[in-house]
Amino acid sequence: MSTLEIRDLHVSVAGQGDEAREILRGVDLTVDSAQTHAIMGPNGSGKSTLAYSIAGHPKYQVTSGAITLDGEDVLAMSVDARARAGLFLAMQYPVEVPGVTVSNFLRTAVTAVRGEAPKLREFVKELNGTMKGLSIDPVFAQRNLNEGFSGGEKKRHEILQLQLLNPKIAILDETDSGLDIDALKVVSAGINAYREVPGHGVLLITHYTRILRYVRPDFVHVFVGGRIVEEGGPELAEELEANGYERFLPAEVMS
Amino acid sequence: MSFEVPTGREEAWRFTPLRRLRGLHGDAPFDLGKIVTAAKADPGVAVMHPHHGDLRNGSAFLPQDRVSARAFDSFEEATAVSVPAGLTASQPVMISLRGESAEHAAAAHTLVEVGANASAVVVLEYSGSATLADNVEFVVGEGASLSVVSLQDWDDDAVHLSHHAAVVGKDATFFHTAVSLGGSVVRLAPSVRYAGPGGNAELRGVYFADAGQHLEHRLFIDHNEPNCRSRVTYKGALQGNGAHAVWIGDVMIRPEATGTDSYEANRNLVLTDGTRVDSVPNLEISTGEVVRAGHASTSGRLEDEYLFYLMARGISALEARRLVIRGFFGELVGQLAVPELADQVMTAIGGKLEKGLS
Ligand SMILES: Nc1ncnc2c1ncn2[C@@H]1O[C@H](COP(=O)(O)OP(=O)(O)OP(=O)(O)O)[C@@H](O)[C@H]1O
Ligand SMILES: [Mg+2]
């Protein structure tokens, strides 16, 4: 049983000049393992900023507030230490890394997170099996990480990493965007397989209820202007789909 | 010998820090400096140490600048390796040039001849501490094949100005890989010309400049015969204040060199602030009938985004850099003619990375 706690989180990003711009304005959120939370909100409201801030991206400056995982101060940890502590971020835009093969990368990551190198043969077996479950062609293992992958292929590989790294809390930033219908089912099944294991929590950022039909959330949060403005159950997602965000937007933002 | 002392304003010298050369470009006397040379080869391969006046007629060396001319006039004993026609040397020929002190300038000369249809691998290893000017000649006979790995594995204070000049025979193959990791200033000028049609030259390089290091590679391919091929691929990394890499790729395709196929590329990976790269490809084409002639030069930052992505998967900063660097150099290092050297080079690169992060 794990708990990710976010308290009154304020985050700024350095703008074009030197002026820092505040993007997160007091986020409060608690994600327990065994729970699935969905975050929905308009473009530019700060959802990815929240995800990156939890993962520790250096561009985002936490100006106040706290993030803890099982009481441990996440903000004091380096990016790699956060991952080893059990946090995982499936990125909205996975990065292409030239010259580093998928298999070499995954073995290095698995070694770092598990604290010991898996035996090569066992690792190859595990990798092949996991790739098969996500309908990923085995030739991808020898390709350079994300290089030239299609949008959907990148997202599948994020879920491949999720399954191999087996974190306590997974943050999935628009993992459903850019997936065709079959891929959405495969990826959802992958997320569900991860969720079913006790001790695993999910924070899922999305624009669409489509994925929420496969990955049923326990809680839905509406994210507007850098904070959570409403919380509810799965029915809230349906309401957003029908009516949009209009009723949550302050008049002056509507320009 | 009518080469003037360079002032630093000449095109050929404008990137080189003359003040750090201990007079090697000027009049530094060579009589006190000492380089210990050793060579090891198959019994079938002749290794000799001719005195200055006795360098056999295999030598066709024509100095192209003051430093190489003075070195050619001043060396006492050359190392001359000769692979007889038709022989395939079963072991790499190992030639080591080891300096014991950088205090006095030294000169050296090396000649490698590979007879017609013979085949050999030669490793040149420069190490220790020195202020060295040297010339290396490669004469590759008709239909022969020569692969050279030149390791510039100097101590931190070494200054090394070097010319590697190859003459590639008809239908012959010449591979040359420069690996420059150590030294304060290393300026290496590999050049190729052809002695007949059908020659193939591949020049590769791997270098890693860290704080204060000046690593300069000046390539010259003279396409003076028809239907010859050349490939130049140099890759380098830079880290730390004052790390400076210079790459000059001059390719000349003469009017008679019809059917030339030439391509050169230089890629630089910048790991930190405070470094400087000068990368100048230069292609001069005087015939309309080339198969291919092109060049590319790129210098990029090691993207923070790569590091973030890898670290977000639990990989430490050092390990993440190592992964990216291995990927960057992997192919070139993997192609080294002596596989055991690949590990040695990767380990040395890893060591430099670690030093840079601490
Ligand atoms: N690195 C950055 N530099 C400058 N501005 C940034 C940076 N990252 C985010 N922003 C700005 O912060 C705001 C929130 O961006 P964020 O990516 O978090 O939005 P989002 O809710 O994920 O949007 P979307 O639904 O389009 O993915 C935007 O106005 C964006 O332009
Ligand atoms: Mg986003």
Side-chain angles (χ1 to χ4, degrees):
Chain A
M1 170 76 185
S2 299
T3 305
L4 174 70
E5 249 192 284
I6 300 164
R7 283 292 155 262
D8 193 27
L9 189 71
H10 290 254
V11 170
S12 296
V13 56
Q16 304 297 88
D18 304 321
E19 227 165 281
R21 201 181 124 205
E22 180 161 77
I23 296 176
L24 299 189
R25 301 151 189 248
V27 178
D28 286 288
L29 181 65
T30 303
V31 180
D32 276 340
S33 52
Q35 292 177 346
T36 297
H37 294 248
I39 290 187
M40 304 181 81
N43 293 132
S45 56
K47 304 179 299 297
S48 294
T49 300
L50 174 64
Y52 278 131
S53 303
I54 298 169
H57 195 293
K59 271 196 194 139
Y60 300 92
Q61 291 303 318
V62 175
T63 50
S64 68
I67 304 177
T68 57
L69 179 65
D70 300 332
E72 299 277 337
D73 182 2
V74 169
L75 294 176
M77 299 178 196
S78 59
V79 174
D80 51 319
R82 295 179 196 204
R84 291 195 298 271
L87 293 172
F88 178 87
L89 168 60
M91 293 183 208
Q92 185 174 358
Y93 304 110
V95 181
E96 304 196 2
V97 188
V100 179
T101 63
V102 167
S103 76
N104 189 15
F105 159 69
L106 289 174
R107 189 150 185 261
T108 309
V110 162
T111 301
V113 166
R114 295 184 192 167
E116 60 176 350
K119 291 215 172 61
L120 186 58
R121 275 186 48 193
E122 283 163 26
F123 175 73
V124 169
K125 226 172 105 184
E126 182 184 358
L127 177 59
N128 286 340
T130 315
M131 286 176 86
K132 202 167 165 209
L134 290 164
S135 305
I136 298 173
D137 189 320
V139 300
F140 275 93
Q142 296 318 315
R143 283 181 60 175
N144 287 338
L145 183 55
N146 291 325
E147 201 176 54
F149 288 18
S150 76
E153 287 162 356
K154 285 180 182 164
K155 297 304 176 74
R156 277 182 213 228
H157 276 82
E158 294 292 286
I159 300 305
L160 173 66
Q161 294 170 37
L162 167 70
Q163 296 196 331
L164 289 172
L165 298 178
N166 208 31
K168 292 173 180 161
I169 306 282
I171 300 147
L172 310 176
D173 190 0
E174 294 199 31
T175 300
D176 55 331
S177 298
L179 294 180
D180 65 37
I181 296 156
D182 294 334
L184 182 69
K185 285 186 188 158
V186 168
V187 162
S188 301
I191 298 169
N192 285 333
Y194 164 78
R195 287 206 297 168
E196 273 156 24
V197 179
H200 286 174
V202 172
L203 177 60
L204 188 148
I205 298 169
T206 184
H207 286 294
Y208 307 105
T209 50
R210 212 172 52 141
I211 189 171
L212 302 180
R213 283 187 211 119
Y214 299 105
V215 182
R216 294 297 290 174
D218 304 299
F219 306 94
V220 173
H221 310 267
V222 183
F223 205 87
V224 175
R227 59 161 72 92
I228 291 169
V229 295
E230 180 134 332
E231 291 172 314
E235 71 290 342
L236 182 55
E238 305 293 339
E239 190 221 310
L240 291 172
E241 177 109 321
N243 304 327
Y245 297 108
E246 201 163 342
R247 82 171 165 97
F248 302 104
L249 296 177
E252 78 259 33
V253 180
M254 297 277 303
S255 58
Chain B
M1 179 184 113
S2 60
F3 298 105
E4 304 271 310
V5 177
T7 62
R9 286 188 293 276
E10 301 79 2
E11 181 57 34
W13 289 98
R14 67 189 180 105
F15 296 118
T16 312
L18 298 181
R19 278 179 310 150
R20 287 162 62 185
L21 300 186
R22 302 186 189 115
L24 209 51
H25 63 299
D27 296 304
F30 286 120
D31 41 347
L32 288 172
K34 194 162 150 34
I35 289 285
V36 182
T37 58
K40 208 174 70 190
D42 263 10
V45 175
V47 179
M48 282 169 299
H49 299 282
H51 279 275
H52 191 274
D54 307 331
L55 192 62
R56 293 180 318 123
N57 42 14
S59 172
F61 190 70
L62 264 183
Q64 301 296 326
D65 69 12
R66 181 183 178 88
V67 179
S68 66
R70 286 184 68 234
F72 194 52
D73 283 346
S74 311
F75 75 86
E76 280 179 11
E77 201 181 78
T79 302
V81 171
S82 176
V83 183
L87 182 87
T88 297
S90 61
Q91 301 278 339
V93 178
M94 308 294 290
I95 303 172
S96 103
L97 291 94
R98 195 179 161 72
E100 287 173 349
S101 155
E103 194 182 339
H104 301 291
H109 193 89
T110 307
L111 167 63
V112 176
E113 281 177 284
V114 182
N117 300 311
S119 157
V121 172
V122 171
V123 177
L124 275 161
E125 185 164 17
Y126 295 97
S127 65
S129 201
T131 299
L132 173 67
D134 81 323
N135 297 297
V136 183
E137 292 181 73
F138 302 106
V139 182
V140 192
E142 192 172 318
S145 156
L146 171 62
S147 289
V148 177
V149 180
S150 183
L151 283 175
Q152 287 65 247
D153 193 16
W154 293 110
D155 291 351
D156 288 344
D157 61 349
V159 169
H160 183 203
L161 305 183
S162 187
H163 285 77
H164 287 195
V167 179
V168 179
K170 179 170 178 286
D171 297 324
T173 300
F174 175 63
F175 286 161
H176 181 280
T177 306
V179 180
S180 300
L181 301 175
S184 167
V185 178
V186 172
R187 181 180 143 120
L188 173 62
S191 67
V192 168
R193 78 190 154 82
Y194 298 87
N200 178 22
E202 291 217 12
L203 278 68
R204 301 172 184 149
V206 167
Y207 52 88
F208 190 144
D210 52 31
Q213 262 188 315
H214 176 95
L215 302 179
E216 177 167 349
H217 298 90
R218 311 183 67 91
L219 291 106
F220 177 49
I221 313 272
D222 186 350
H223 275 283
N224 56 333
E225 290 281 344
N227 301 320
C228 290
R229 180 180 181 273
S230 66
R231 288 288 179 274
V232 177
T233 314
Y234 268 64
K235 284 184 153 193
L238 295 98
Q239 105 188 333
N241 259 338
H244 188 191
V246 178
W247 180 86
I248 310 292
D250 287 332
V251 175
M252 187 191 297
I253 303 178
R254 295 182 190 266
E256 58 271 33
T258 54
T260 291
D261 175 2
S262 164
Y263 194 80
E264 49 169 357
N266 175 227
R267 304 202 185 285
N268 292 286
L269 185 60
V270 176
L271 300 173
T272 67
D273 293 334
T275 69
R276 177 172 158 198
V277 179
D278 292 288
S279 177
V280 188
N282 193 2
L283 187 57
E284 195 177 311
I285 308 177
S286 314
T287 172
E289 297 169 56
V290 296
V291 173
R292 171 164 133 119
H295 60 71
S297 163
T298 58
S299 297
R301 275 295 299 216
L302 170 63
E303 300 233 7
D304 291 340
E305 293 302 320
Y306 300 168
L307 291 182
F308 173 71
Y309 189 79
L310 297 172
M311 289 176 72
R313 301 310 182 232
I315 299 168
S316 71
L318 175 63
E319 193 66 27
R321 278 165 182 268
R322 225 181 242 154
L323 265 180
V324 174
I325 287 277
R326 274 180 175 271
F328 181 70
F329 285 129
E331 196 181 345
L332 277 182
V333 173
Q335 289 169 344
L336 284 182
V338 183
E340 302 84 77
L341 285 180
D343 284 342
Q344 188 188 322
V345 169
M346 275 303 182
T347 306
I349 288 171
K352 292 192 94 165
L353 270 179
E354 207 156 335
K355 207 175 84 187
L357 276 187
S358 61

